mmCIF file of all heavy atoms in Angstrom:
data_model
loop_
_atom_site.group_PDB
_atom_site.id
_atom_site.type_symbol
_atom_site.label_atom_id
_atom_site.label_comp_id
_atom_site.label_asym_id
_atom_site.label_seq_id
_atom_site.Cartn_x
_atom_site.Cartn_y
_atom_site.Cartn_z
ATOM 1 N N MET A 22 -18.432 -0.105 34.722
ATOM 2 C CA MET A 22 -18.471 0.855 33.632
ATOM 3 C C MET A 22 -17.084 1.239 33.137
ATOM 4 O O MET A 22 -16.860 1.340 31.932
ATOM 5 C CB MET A 22 -19.220 2.094 34.113
ATOM 6 C CG MET A 22 -19.584 3.010 33.005
ATOM 7 S SD MET A 22 -20.717 2.225 31.886
ATOM 8 C CE MET A 22 -21.511 3.582 31.164
ATOM 9 N N LYS A 23 -16.131 1.380 34.069
ATOM 10 C CA LYS A 23 -14.726 1.684 33.667
ATOM 11 C C LYS A 23 -14.153 0.551 32.866
ATOM 12 O O LYS A 23 -13.438 0.785 31.913
ATOM 13 C CB LYS A 23 -13.893 1.948 34.906
ATOM 14 C CG LYS A 23 -14.072 3.310 35.489
ATOM 15 C CD LYS A 23 -13.037 3.541 36.590
ATOM 16 C CE LYS A 23 -13.131 4.977 37.097
ATOM 17 N NZ LYS A 23 -12.090 5.255 38.087
ATOM 18 N N LYS A 24 -14.468 -0.675 33.277
ATOM 19 C CA LYS A 24 -13.937 -1.837 32.544
ATOM 20 C C LYS A 24 -14.491 -1.857 31.111
ATOM 21 O O LYS A 24 -13.748 -2.151 30.163
ATOM 22 C CB LYS A 24 -14.333 -3.117 33.272
ATOM 23 C CG LYS A 24 -13.614 -4.335 32.777
ATOM 24 C CD LYS A 24 -13.935 -5.536 33.669
ATOM 25 C CE LYS A 24 -13.147 -6.738 33.213
ATOM 26 N NZ LYS A 24 -13.409 -7.913 34.061
ATOM 27 N N LEU A 25 -15.767 -1.526 30.937
ATOM 28 C CA LEU A 25 -16.388 -1.494 29.618
ATOM 29 C C LEU A 25 -15.752 -0.405 28.769
ATOM 30 O O LEU A 25 -15.470 -0.631 27.553
ATOM 31 C CB LEU A 25 -17.879 -1.250 29.772
ATOM 32 C CG LEU A 25 -18.714 -1.353 28.507
ATOM 33 C CD1 LEU A 25 -18.610 -2.780 27.934
ATOM 34 C CD2 LEU A 25 -20.148 -1.026 28.789
ATOM 35 N N LEU A 26 -15.408 0.719 29.338
ATOM 36 C CA LEU A 26 -14.741 1.813 28.604
ATOM 37 C C LEU A 26 -13.340 1.373 28.157
ATOM 38 O O LEU A 26 -12.917 1.678 27.052
ATOM 39 C CB LEU A 26 -14.668 3.083 29.434
ATOM 40 C CG LEU A 26 -15.990 3.828 29.603
ATOM 41 C CD1 LEU A 26 -15.834 4.997 30.582
ATOM 42 C CD2 LEU A 26 -16.512 4.310 28.278
ATOM 43 N N LYS A 27 -12.612 0.686 29.048
ATOM 44 C CA LYS A 27 -11.280 0.216 28.700
ATOM 45 C C LYS A 27 -11.318 -0.825 27.569
ATOM 46 O O LYS A 27 -10.487 -0.846 26.680
ATOM 47 C CB LYS A 27 -10.581 -0.369 29.928
ATOM 48 C CG LYS A 27 -10.092 0.706 30.891
ATOM 49 C CD LYS A 27 -9.304 0.084 32.029
ATOM 50 C CE LYS A 27 -8.834 1.210 32.950
ATOM 51 N NZ LYS A 27 -7.907 0.721 33.954
ATOM 52 N N ILE A 28 -12.306 -1.720 27.614
ATOM 53 C CA ILE A 28 -12.472 -2.727 26.558
ATOM 54 C C ILE A 28 -12.783 -2.004 25.240
ATOM 55 O O ILE A 28 -12.255 -2.364 24.189
ATOM 56 C CB ILE A 28 -13.557 -3.758 26.944
ATOM 57 C CG1 ILE A 28 -13.067 -4.636 28.083
ATOM 58 C CG2 ILE A 28 -13.904 -4.615 25.742
ATOM 59 C CD1 ILE A 28 -14.131 -5.537 28.681
ATOM 60 N N GLY A 29 -13.676 -1.017 25.277
ATOM 61 C CA GLY A 29 -14.038 -0.247 24.091
ATOM 62 C C GLY A 29 -12.829 0.471 23.504
ATOM 63 O O GLY A 29 -12.639 0.490 22.284
ATOM 64 N N GLU A 30 -12.030 1.051 24.376
ATOM 65 C CA GLU A 30 -10.847 1.758 23.922
ATOM 66 C C GLU A 30 -9.845 0.781 23.262
ATOM 67 O O GLU A 30 -9.295 1.047 22.208
ATOM 68 C CB GLU A 30 -10.186 2.456 25.096
ATOM 69 C CG GLU A 30 -8.958 3.267 24.687
ATOM 70 C CD GLU A 30 -8.312 3.951 25.909
ATOM 71 O OE1 GLU A 30 -8.919 3.930 27.008
ATOM 72 O OE2 GLU A 30 -7.235 4.511 25.733
ATOM 73 N N PHE A 31 -9.672 -0.345 23.903
ATOM 74 C CA PHE A 31 -8.747 -1.393 23.370
ATOM 75 C C PHE A 31 -9.247 -1.852 21.997
ATOM 76 O O PHE A 31 -8.443 -1.966 21.041
ATOM 77 C CB PHE A 31 -8.654 -2.564 24.324
ATOM 78 C CG PHE A 31 -7.859 -3.701 23.790
ATOM 79 C CD1 PHE A 31 -6.462 -3.618 23.730
ATOM 80 C CD2 PHE A 31 -8.460 -4.868 23.362
ATOM 81 C CE1 PHE A 31 -5.728 -4.654 23.198
ATOM 82 C CE2 PHE A 31 -7.727 -5.927 22.856
ATOM 83 C CZ PHE A 31 -6.359 -5.833 22.779
ATOM 84 N N LEU A 32 -10.561 -2.119 21.871
ATOM 85 C CA LEU A 32 -11.098 -2.577 20.606
ATOM 86 C C LEU A 32 -10.955 -1.506 19.519
ATOM 87 O O LEU A 32 -10.691 -1.830 18.367
ATOM 88 C CB LEU A 32 -12.562 -3.012 20.747
ATOM 89 C CG LEU A 32 -12.780 -4.323 21.510
ATOM 90 C CD1 LEU A 32 -14.277 -4.582 21.672
ATOM 91 C CD2 LEU A 32 -12.093 -5.485 20.816
ATOM 92 N N GLY A 33 -11.131 -0.262 19.885
ATOM 93 C CA GLY A 33 -10.929 0.850 18.957
ATOM 94 C C GLY A 33 -9.503 0.910 18.443
ATOM 95 O O GLY A 33 -9.253 1.105 17.246
ATOM 96 N N ILE A 34 -8.549 0.715 19.358
ATOM 97 C CA ILE A 34 -7.149 0.713 18.936
ATOM 98 C C ILE A 34 -6.849 -0.490 18.009
ATOM 99 O O ILE A 34 -6.180 -0.341 16.987
ATOM 100 C CB ILE A 34 -6.237 0.683 20.168
ATOM 101 C CG1 ILE A 34 -6.334 2.013 20.903
ATOM 102 C CG2 ILE A 34 -4.784 0.413 19.769
ATOM 103 C CD1 ILE A 34 -5.673 2.032 22.271
ATOM 104 N N VAL A 35 -7.386 -1.648 18.339
ATOM 105 C CA VAL A 35 -7.168 -2.817 17.497
ATOM 106 C C VAL A 35 -7.760 -2.620 16.131
ATOM 107 O O VAL A 35 -7.101 -2.914 15.121
ATOM 108 C CB VAL A 35 -7.764 -4.075 18.194
ATOM 109 C CG1 VAL A 35 -7.824 -5.240 17.247
ATOM 110 C CG2 VAL A 35 -6.972 -4.444 19.438
ATOM 111 N N VAL A 36 -8.958 -2.096 16.069
ATOM 112 C CA VAL A 36 -9.597 -1.838 14.740
ATOM 113 C C VAL A 36 -8.772 -0.816 13.953
ATOM 114 O O VAL A 36 -8.571 -0.976 12.729
ATOM 115 C CB VAL A 36 -11.050 -1.379 14.941
ATOM 116 C CG1 VAL A 36 -11.627 -0.846 13.637
ATOM 117 C CG2 VAL A 36 -11.898 -2.525 15.466
ATOM 118 N N GLY A 37 -8.288 0.206 14.599
ATOM 119 C CA GLY A 37 -7.462 1.204 13.949
ATOM 120 C C GLY A 37 -6.166 0.631 13.383
ATOM 121 O O GLY A 37 -5.774 0.945 12.259
ATOM 122 N N VAL A 38 -5.543 -0.217 14.151
ATOM 123 C CA VAL A 38 -4.293 -0.846 13.677
ATOM 124 C C VAL A 38 -4.569 -1.796 12.513
ATOM 125 O O VAL A 38 -3.822 -1.817 11.536
ATOM 126 C CB VAL A 38 -3.600 -1.598 14.852
ATOM 127 C CG1 VAL A 38 -2.468 -2.474 14.362
ATOM 128 C CG2 VAL A 38 -3.091 -0.597 15.894
ATOM 129 N N VAL A 39 -5.614 -2.577 12.597
ATOM 130 C CA VAL A 39 -5.943 -3.498 11.512
ATOM 131 C C VAL A 39 -6.258 -2.698 10.252
ATOM 132 O O VAL A 39 -5.798 -3.066 9.152
ATOM 133 C CB VAL A 39 -7.124 -4.432 11.926
ATOM 134 C CG1 VAL A 39 -7.684 -5.184 10.718
ATOM 135 C CG2 VAL A 39 -6.679 -5.379 12.992
ATOM 136 N N ALA A 40 -7.003 -1.614 10.379
ATOM 137 C CA ALA A 40 -7.328 -0.800 9.210
ATOM 138 C C ALA A 40 -6.064 -0.178 8.631
ATOM 139 O O ALA A 40 -5.891 -0.132 7.399
ATOM 140 C CB ALA A 40 -8.294 0.299 9.615
ATOM 141 N N ALA A 41 -5.126 0.288 9.473
ATOM 142 C CA ALA A 41 -3.882 0.844 8.986
ATOM 143 C C ALA A 41 -3.060 -0.187 8.249
ATOM 144 O O ALA A 41 -2.448 0.098 7.184
ATOM 145 C CB ALA A 41 -3.111 1.443 10.123
ATOM 146 N N VAL A 42 -3.015 -1.410 8.753
ATOM 147 C CA VAL A 42 -2.260 -2.461 8.096
ATOM 148 C C VAL A 42 -2.884 -2.810 6.764
ATOM 149 O O VAL A 42 -2.214 -2.977 5.738
ATOM 150 C CB VAL A 42 -2.147 -3.709 9.018
ATOM 151 C CG1 VAL A 42 -1.640 -4.927 8.250
ATOM 152 C CG2 VAL A 42 -1.293 -3.408 10.227
ATOM 153 N N TYR A 43 -4.221 -2.866 6.714
ATOM 154 C CA TYR A 43 -4.920 -3.196 5.482
ATOM 155 C C TYR A 43 -4.672 -2.126 4.418
ATOM 156 O O TYR A 43 -4.329 -2.428 3.265
ATOM 157 C CB TYR A 43 -6.431 -3.308 5.747
ATOM 158 C CG TYR A 43 -7.250 -3.637 4.532
ATOM 159 C CD1 TYR A 43 -7.284 -4.903 3.998
ATOM 160 C CD2 TYR A 43 -7.984 -2.612 3.902
ATOM 161 C CE1 TYR A 43 -8.010 -5.179 2.882
ATOM 162 C CE2 TYR A 43 -8.727 -2.877 2.759
ATOM 163 C CZ TYR A 43 -8.750 -4.163 2.255
ATOM 164 O OH TYR A 43 -9.488 -4.449 1.151
ATOM 165 N N ILE A 44 -4.725 -0.868 4.816
ATOM 166 C CA ILE A 44 -4.476 0.212 3.891
ATOM 167 C C ILE A 44 -3.014 0.225 3.430
ATOM 168 O O ILE A 44 -2.704 0.447 2.251
ATOM 169 C CB ILE A 44 -4.859 1.582 4.536
ATOM 170 C CG1 ILE A 44 -6.378 1.657 4.701
ATOM 171 C CG2 ILE A 44 -4.373 2.765 3.697
ATOM 172 C CD1 ILE A 44 -6.862 2.827 5.532
ATOM 173 N N GLY A 45 -2.130 -0.092 4.363
ATOM 174 C CA GLY A 45 -0.694 -0.185 3.993
ATOM 175 C C GLY A 45 -0.441 -1.294 2.973
ATOM 176 O O GLY A 45 0.319 -1.051 2.035
ATOM 177 N N PHE A 46 -1.053 -2.450 3.127
ATOM 178 C CA PHE A 46 -0.879 -3.499 2.158
ATOM 179 C C PHE A 46 -1.442 -3.094 0.796
ATOM 180 O O PHE A 46 -0.846 -3.332 -0.244
ATOM 181 C CB PHE A 46 -1.596 -4.781 2.592
ATOM 182 C CG PHE A 46 -0.752 -5.610 3.545
ATOM 183 C CD1 PHE A 46 -1.289 -6.039 4.739
ATOM 184 C CD2 PHE A 46 0.553 -5.979 3.255
ATOM 185 C CE1 PHE A 46 -0.536 -6.783 5.620
ATOM 186 C CE2 PHE A 46 1.293 -6.724 4.123
ATOM 187 C CZ PHE A 46 0.767 -7.119 5.302
ATOM 188 N N TRP A 47 -2.617 -2.391 0.806
ATOM 189 C CA TRP A 47 -3.232 -1.986 -0.444
ATOM 190 C C TRP A 47 -2.327 -0.951 -1.179
ATOM 191 O O TRP A 47 -2.136 -1.036 -2.387
ATOM 192 C CB TRP A 47 -4.603 -1.327 -0.190
ATOM 193 C CG TRP A 47 -5.321 -1.007 -1.406
ATOM 194 C CD1 TRP A 47 -6.105 -1.815 -2.145
ATOM 195 C CD2 TRP A 47 -5.336 0.266 -2.067
ATOM 196 N NE1 TRP A 47 -6.619 -1.136 -3.221
ATOM 197 C CE2 TRP A 47 -6.162 0.143 -3.210
ATOM 198 C CE3 TRP A 47 -4.758 1.497 -1.811
ATOM 199 C CZ2 TRP A 47 -6.386 1.214 -4.059
ATOM 200 C CZ3 TRP A 47 -5.000 2.553 -2.679
ATOM 201 C CH2 TRP A 47 -5.817 2.403 -3.788
ATOM 202 N N VAL A 48 -1.785 0.005 -0.442
ATOM 203 C CA VAL A 48 -0.906 1.009 -1.022
ATOM 204 C C VAL A 48 0.373 0.344 -1.547
ATOM 205 O O VAL A 48 0.869 0.647 -2.627
ATOM 206 C CB VAL A 48 -0.593 2.110 -0.022
ATOM 207 C CG1 VAL A 48 0.511 3.022 -0.507
ATOM 208 C CG2 VAL A 48 -1.820 2.936 0.282
ATOM 209 N N GLY A 49 0.892 -0.603 -0.790
ATOM 210 C CA GLY A 49 2.116 -1.319 -1.200
ATOM 211 C C GLY A 49 1.871 -2.104 -2.483
ATOM 212 O O GLY A 49 2.726 -2.093 -3.414
ATOM 213 N N LYS A 50 0.754 -2.769 -2.615
ATOM 214 C CA LYS A 50 0.435 -3.496 -3.836
ATOM 215 C C LYS A 50 0.288 -2.552 -5.003
ATOM 216 O O LYS A 50 0.742 -2.813 -6.118
ATOM 217 C CB LYS A 50 -0.815 -4.337 -3.669
ATOM 218 C CG LYS A 50 -0.611 -5.569 -2.796
ATOM 219 C CD LYS A 50 -1.822 -6.461 -2.850
ATOM 220 C CE LYS A 50 -2.853 -5.996 -1.874
ATOM 221 N NZ LYS A 50 -3.989 -6.918 -1.732
ATOM 222 N N ALA A 51 -0.352 -1.402 -4.802
ATOM 223 C CA ALA A 51 -0.524 -0.413 -5.849
ATOM 224 C C ALA A 51 0.821 0.110 -6.326
ATOM 225 O O ALA A 51 1.055 0.235 -7.525
ATOM 226 C CB ALA A 51 -1.431 0.721 -5.353
ATOM 227 N N VAL A 52 1.694 0.412 -5.389
ATOM 228 C CA VAL A 52 3.050 0.889 -5.745
ATOM 229 C C VAL A 52 3.803 -0.151 -6.533
ATOM 230 O O VAL A 52 4.497 0.150 -7.498
ATOM 231 C CB VAL A 52 3.805 1.336 -4.482
ATOM 232 C CG1 VAL A 52 5.278 1.552 -4.785
ATOM 233 C CG2 VAL A 52 3.201 2.579 -3.913
ATOM 234 N N LEU A 53 3.683 -1.404 -6.129
ATOM 235 C CA LEU A 53 4.369 -2.490 -6.828
ATOM 236 C C LEU A 53 3.854 -2.626 -8.245
ATOM 237 O O LEU A 53 4.634 -2.751 -9.168
ATOM 238 C CB LEU A 53 4.143 -3.799 -6.043
ATOM 239 C CG LEU A 53 4.859 -5.037 -6.591
ATOM 240 C CD1 LEU A 53 6.366 -4.881 -6.527
ATOM 241 C CD2 LEU A 53 4.415 -6.260 -5.830
ATOM 242 N N VAL A 54 2.559 -2.593 -8.455
ATOM 243 C CA VAL A 54 1.979 -2.732 -9.787
ATOM 244 C C VAL A 54 2.407 -1.556 -10.667
ATOM 245 O O VAL A 54 2.785 -1.714 -11.821
ATOM 246 C CB VAL A 54 0.450 -2.843 -9.707
ATOM 247 C CG1 VAL A 54 -0.192 -2.676 -11.052
ATOM 248 C CG2 VAL A 54 0.041 -4.168 -9.077
ATOM 249 N N VAL A 55 2.350 -0.315 -10.122
ATOM 250 C CA VAL A 55 2.747 0.845 -10.886
ATOM 251 C C VAL A 55 4.221 0.749 -11.245
ATOM 252 O O VAL A 55 4.640 1.070 -12.372
ATOM 253 C CB VAL A 55 2.399 2.120 -10.136
ATOM 254 C CG1 VAL A 55 3.031 3.354 -10.775
ATOM 255 C CG2 VAL A 55 0.903 2.300 -10.044
ATOM 256 N N GLY A 56 5.049 0.319 -10.295
ATOM 257 C CA GLY A 56 6.465 0.193 -10.570
ATOM 258 C C GLY A 56 6.803 -0.803 -11.663
ATOM 259 O O GLY A 56 7.595 -0.554 -12.567
ATOM 260 N N VAL A 57 6.134 -1.952 -11.609
ATOM 261 C CA VAL A 57 6.338 -2.972 -12.646
ATOM 262 C C VAL A 57 5.861 -2.457 -13.992
ATOM 263 O O VAL A 57 6.536 -2.665 -15.022
ATOM 264 C CB VAL A 57 5.641 -4.291 -12.258
ATOM 265 C CG1 VAL A 57 5.616 -5.283 -13.402
ATOM 266 C CG2 VAL A 57 6.356 -4.921 -11.066
ATOM 267 N N ALA A 58 4.723 -1.791 -14.023
ATOM 268 C CA ALA A 58 4.194 -1.234 -15.283
ATOM 269 C C ALA A 58 5.160 -0.191 -15.832
ATOM 270 O O ALA A 58 5.422 -0.155 -17.039
ATOM 271 C CB ALA A 58 2.821 -0.647 -15.042
ATOM 272 N N TRP A 59 5.713 0.647 -14.969
ATOM 273 C CA TRP A 59 6.642 1.690 -15.427
ATOM 274 C C TRP A 59 7.927 1.051 -15.996
ATOM 275 O O TRP A 59 8.410 1.502 -17.062
ATOM 276 C CB TRP A 59 6.987 2.631 -14.282
ATOM 277 C CG TRP A 59 7.869 3.770 -14.675
ATOM 278 C CD1 TRP A 59 7.568 4.863 -15.382
ATOM 279 C CD2 TRP A 59 9.289 3.860 -14.387
ATOM 280 N NE1 TRP A 59 8.675 5.647 -15.583
ATOM 281 C CE2 TRP A 59 9.745 5.053 -14.944
ATOM 282 C CE3 TRP A 59 10.179 3.050 -13.721
ATOM 283 C CZ2 TRP A 59 11.076 5.452 -14.872
ATOM 284 C CZ3 TRP A 59 11.503 3.452 -13.608
ATOM 285 C CH2 TRP A 59 11.957 4.644 -14.165
ATOM 286 N N VAL A 60 8.451 0.067 -15.329
ATOM 287 C CA VAL A 60 9.654 -0.603 -15.840
ATOM 288 C C VAL A 60 9.379 -1.299 -17.152
ATOM 289 O O VAL A 60 10.154 -1.202 -18.113
ATOM 290 C CB VAL A 60 10.192 -1.617 -14.775
ATOM 291 C CG1 VAL A 60 11.252 -2.515 -15.373
ATOM 292 C CG2 VAL A 60 10.740 -0.869 -13.572
ATOM 293 N N GLY A 61 8.214 -1.931 -17.259
ATOM 294 C CA GLY A 61 7.831 -2.567 -18.527
ATOM 295 C C GLY A 61 7.694 -1.543 -19.647
ATOM 296 O O GLY A 61 8.136 -1.741 -20.779
ATOM 297 N N TYR A 62 7.094 -0.386 -19.325
ATOM 298 C CA TYR A 62 6.950 0.665 -20.329
ATOM 299 C C TYR A 62 8.305 1.149 -20.774
ATOM 300 O O TYR A 62 8.546 1.346 -21.970
ATOM 301 C CB TYR A 62 6.141 1.844 -19.723
ATOM 302 C CG TYR A 62 6.124 3.049 -20.593
ATOM 303 C CD1 TYR A 62 5.247 3.136 -21.663
ATOM 304 C CD2 TYR A 62 6.961 4.139 -20.348
ATOM 305 C CE1 TYR A 62 5.216 4.267 -22.492
ATOM 306 C CE2 TYR A 62 6.975 5.267 -21.131
ATOM 307 C CZ TYR A 62 6.105 5.333 -22.225
ATOM 308 O OH TYR A 62 6.072 6.421 -22.988
ATOM 309 N N LYS A 63 9.207 1.379 -19.841
ATOM 310 C CA LYS A 63 10.568 1.855 -20.193
ATOM 311 C C LYS A 63 11.293 0.842 -21.049
ATOM 312 O O LYS A 63 12.039 1.191 -21.925
ATOM 313 C CB LYS A 63 11.366 2.183 -18.919
ATOM 314 C CG LYS A 63 10.976 3.488 -18.279
ATOM 315 C CD LYS A 63 11.170 4.586 -19.259
ATOM 316 C CE LYS A 63 11.483 5.879 -18.556
ATOM 317 N NZ LYS A 63 11.697 6.964 -19.486
ATOM 318 N N ILE A 64 11.140 -0.442 -20.769
ATOM 319 C CA ILE A 64 11.815 -1.483 -21.538
ATOM 320 C C ILE A 64 11.249 -1.558 -22.944
ATOM 321 O O ILE A 64 11.999 -1.681 -23.915
ATOM 322 C CB ILE A 64 11.734 -2.834 -20.805
ATOM 323 C CG1 ILE A 64 12.579 -2.822 -19.565
ATOM 324 C CG2 ILE A 64 12.141 -3.983 -21.710
ATOM 325 C CD1 ILE A 64 12.400 -4.041 -18.653
ATOM 326 N N ILE A 65 9.924 -1.527 -23.054
ATOM 327 C CA ILE A 65 9.284 -1.735 -24.331
ATOM 328 C C ILE A 65 9.322 -0.468 -25.197
ATOM 329 O O ILE A 65 9.666 -0.529 -26.384
ATOM 330 C CB ILE A 65 7.812 -2.215 -24.162
ATOM 331 C CG1 ILE A 65 7.853 -3.619 -23.532
ATOM 332 C CG2 ILE A 65 7.069 -2.227 -25.484
ATOM 333 C CD1 ILE A 65 6.474 -4.108 -23.091
ATOM 334 N N PHE A 66 8.966 0.681 -24.602
ATOM 335 C CA PHE A 66 8.813 1.910 -25.379
ATOM 336 C C PHE A 66 9.949 2.885 -25.189
ATOM 337 O O PHE A 66 9.909 3.978 -25.795
ATOM 338 C CB PHE A 66 7.469 2.575 -25.038
ATOM 339 C CG PHE A 66 6.263 1.766 -25.414
ATOM 340 C CD1 PHE A 66 5.468 1.178 -24.427
ATOM 341 C CD2 PHE A 66 5.974 1.492 -26.717
ATOM 342 C CE1 PHE A 66 4.384 0.427 -24.729
ATOM 343 C CE2 PHE A 66 4.860 0.738 -27.056
ATOM 344 C CZ PHE A 66 4.078 0.189 -26.069
ATOM 345 N N GLY A 67 10.901 2.551 -24.355
ATOM 346 C CA GLY A 67 11.979 3.491 -24.090
ATOM 347 C C GLY A 67 12.842 3.698 -25.341
ATOM 348 O O GLY A 67 13.098 2.763 -26.124
ATOM 349 N N GLN A 68 13.274 4.941 -25.539
ATOM 350 C CA GLN A 68 14.115 5.223 -26.707
ATOM 351 C C GLN A 68 15.514 4.793 -26.407
ATOM 352 O O GLN A 68 16.107 5.156 -25.392
ATOM 353 C CB GLN A 68 14.040 6.698 -27.026
ATOM 354 C CG GLN A 68 14.641 7.058 -28.368
ATOM 355 C CD GLN A 68 14.392 8.494 -28.693
ATOM 356 O OE1 GLN A 68 13.987 9.276 -27.880
ATOM 357 N NE2 GLN A 68 14.694 8.855 -29.933
ATOM 358 N N ASN A 69 16.095 4.059 -27.338
ATOM 359 C CA ASN A 69 17.455 3.587 -27.176
ATOM 360 C C ASN A 69 18.409 4.487 -27.944
ATOM 361 O O ASN A 69 18.231 4.672 -29.153
ATOM 362 C CB ASN A 69 17.536 2.117 -27.673
ATOM 363 C CG ASN A 69 18.812 1.445 -27.195
ATOM 364 O OD1 ASN A 69 19.681 2.079 -26.657
ATOM 365 N ND2 ASN A 69 18.891 0.157 -27.430
ATOM 366 N N ASP A 70 19.421 5.036 -27.294
ATOM 367 C CA ASP A 70 20.311 5.977 -27.972
ATOM 368 C C ASP A 70 21.225 5.276 -28.981
ATOM 369 O O ASP A 70 21.729 5.891 -29.919
ATOM 370 C CB ASP A 70 21.215 6.658 -26.925
ATOM 371 C CG ASP A 70 20.406 7.670 -26.078
ATOM 372 O OD1 ASP A 70 19.347 8.107 -26.570
ATOM 373 O OD2 ASP A 70 20.837 7.956 -24.971
ATOM 374 N N SER A 71 21.409 3.993 -28.891
ATOM 375 C CA SER A 71 22.263 3.267 -29.819
ATOM 376 C C SER A 71 21.632 3.077 -31.181
ATOM 377 O O SER A 71 22.318 2.774 -32.145
ATOM 378 C CB SER A 71 22.689 1.924 -29.262
ATOM 379 O OG SER A 71 21.543 1.110 -29.114
ATOM 380 N N ASP A 72 20.331 3.306 -31.294
ATOM 381 C CA ASP A 72 19.653 3.178 -32.594
ATOM 382 C C ASP A 72 19.902 4.377 -33.477
ATOM 383 O O ASP A 72 19.756 4.296 -34.728
ATOM 384 C CB ASP A 72 18.113 3.040 -32.401
ATOM 385 C CG ASP A 72 17.772 1.707 -31.788
ATOM 386 O OD1 ASP A 72 18.584 0.802 -31.846
ATOM 387 O OD2 ASP A 72 16.628 1.574 -31.274
ATOM 388 N N ASN A 73 20.309 5.504 -32.936
ATOM 389 C CA ASN A 73 20.501 6.689 -33.735
ATOM 390 C C ASN A 73 21.833 6.667 -34.408
ATOM 391 O O ASN A 73 22.852 6.768 -34.147
ATOM 392 C CB ASN A 73 20.354 7.987 -32.880
ATOM 393 C CG ASN A 73 18.911 8.146 -32.435
ATOM 394 O OD1 ASN A 73 18.017 7.631 -33.110
ATOM 395 N ND2 ASN A 73 18.719 8.814 -31.335
#
């Protein structure tokens, strides 16, 4: 029974780590997309002081 509990605990930790890595990749991709969109917005729609 103790061995089964240790295996369950280990699997719980593994699942937690995998979930954290998956969420980290998702957040990283979202930040990258938002960053690229913001830079594109600034390049295309940014006001240029030399035009005045």
Side-chain angles (χ1 to χ4, degrees):
M22 192 63 156
K23 281 187 175 184
K24 191 173 185 179
L25 188 61
L26 286 174
K27 285 186 179 187
I28 291 172
E30 183 180 351
F31 175 73
L32 289 176
I34 291 171
V35 169
V36 168
V38 169
V39 169
V42 168
Y43 179 77
I44 291 170
F46 277 128
W47 186 84
V48 169
K50 286 189 278 187
V52 168
L53 183 64
V54 168
V55 169
V57 168
W59 182 76
V60 169
Y62 171 80
K63 283 301 209 178
I64 289 172
I65 294 171
F66 296 112
Q68 191 173 12
N69 195 351
D70 289 336
S71 64
D72 289 342
N73 292 335

